[in-house]
Amino acid sequence: MKAMIFAAGLGTRLAPLTDSCPKALIEVGGKPMLRRVIERLRDAGVGEMVVNVHHHADMIRRYLEENDFGVRVMISDESDMLLDTGGGVARASILLEGDEPVMLYNADIFTDFPIAEMVAVHERSGADVTLLADSRATSRYLMFDEAGYMRGWKNVRTGEVRSPFHAEVTDRCRLLAFGGIHIISQSAMRDISGYRPGEKFSITPFYIDRCGVLSIQAYTPTSPYKWIDIGKPETLQQAREEYISFKKRTE
């Protein structure tokens, strides 16, 4: 399996830290988040990875060149224009081609969920896309039917619903928060590449538009796990405290 790590974001919520350092190189427990993600994917059997770059692109490029991770790491350069998640996948698609699905992983997610379990669920199901999703509190949710397949999106603050399905379907859906990690088939990746060629776009609208024709399923880990988006000062601090607590428990 190959993987793509999203590391191009501006990290504006973490300013001034990200004024001089890309968010992907912000450290938790003395280790940059990008290294943490690469090592997790490597240890789960991923042999080739693509990292997209934009903000402080040279710093990330230099970091990858100066470190040996034991796997092949390629760069998808978005220096000319930040393409967001969907546009980023479209640009990197030529590097991600192959016979196996691709794992997409946000570099700012501090988590210990079982990657191998998620891969196994995806492979058994034959789904086009598998999304890490759980009942975590947020304002914007993905909507899943009783069988675990995506049927739309909802903003619970405004009541807005986006879905290709009628209300009799979406009204029965459960709401789950997307965890920023997904597995996509090669056919779904080709579909993304043709969605808005050359444009900047988030992958979420693509999933909303295509959930009526693609098999997009939720994956929720069977055991408790950590999940922290380190994109804000308070959550970065939380991740650092979680790491210290874990170290103390295991020493």
Side-chain angles (χ1 to χ4, degrees), residues 3-7 24-25 31-52 60-61 63-65 67-75 103 105-109 111 115:
M4 179 173 181
I5 302 171
F6 295 114
L25 296 185
K31 185 181 292 188
M33 286 296 299
L34 181 57
R35 174 177 282 276
R36 289 191 175 280
V37 173
I38 291 173
E39 290 178 348
R40 290 206 76 227
L41 291 167
R42 178 201 64 199
D43 294 347
V46 177
E48 292 188 15
M49 305 176 202
V50 175
V51 178
N52 70 337
I60 295 179
R61 188 186 299 275
Y63 179 77
L64 294 174
E65 289 172 350
N67 290 272
D68 181 8
F69 301 98
V71 292
R72 185 184 183 197
V73 181
M74 298 168 282
I75 290 175
M103 175 164 277
Y105 203 123
N106 286 9
D108 57 2
I109 301 300
T111 181
I115 293 176

Side-chain angles (χ1 to χ4, degrees), residues 111-129:
T111 181
D112 61 354
F113 87 95
I115 293 176
E117 180 182 87
M118 182 176 181
V119 172
V121 167
H122 178 82
E123 291 177 343
R124 285 197 305 267
S125 70
D128 295 301
V129 180

